[in-house]
Amino acid sequence: MIWQLDIMLLLLSVVCAVAAVSVKDLLASVVLLGTFSLFMCLLWIEMGAVDVAFTEASVGAGITTVFFVITV
């Protein structure tokens, strides 16, 4: 594992999570949550958990984001 990459992905995911909670626009919040899921997927891949990363990518960044956009 490359610890610099892990820290960078972790910081980017925390920034996306805080921004998603603090932004006022709902569509921007949904996009930020999808980006958060993408960074978490990359973090899982970096850790070697490819099955968890695939699930996070398909459910977290894919289906959930599409459902939230349709709902908004």
Side-chain angles (χ1 to χ4, degrees):
M1 281 199 271
I2 304 170
W3 64 272
Q4 295 94 348
L5 182 62
D6 290 340
I7 291 175
M8 184 184 70
L9 289 172
L10 183 63
L11 287 175
L12 286 172
S13 64
V14 168
V15 167
C16 283
V18 170
V21 172
S22 64
V23 73
K24 298 293 181 189
D25 186 23
L26 289 177
L27 189 60
S29 178
V30 168
V31 169
L32 284 168
L33 282 175
T35 310
F36 170 77
S37 293
L38 176 71
F39 285 132
M40 286 304 297
C41 174
L42 293 174
L43 191 61
W44 288 122
I45 289 173
E46 175 63 26
M47 293 172 131
V50 181
D51 53 343
V52 178
F54 180 73
T55 304
E56 180 70 30
S58 62
V59 174
I63 296 171
T64 306
T65 304
V66 169
F67 282 158
F68 280 161
V69 168
I70 290 170
T71 303
V72 170

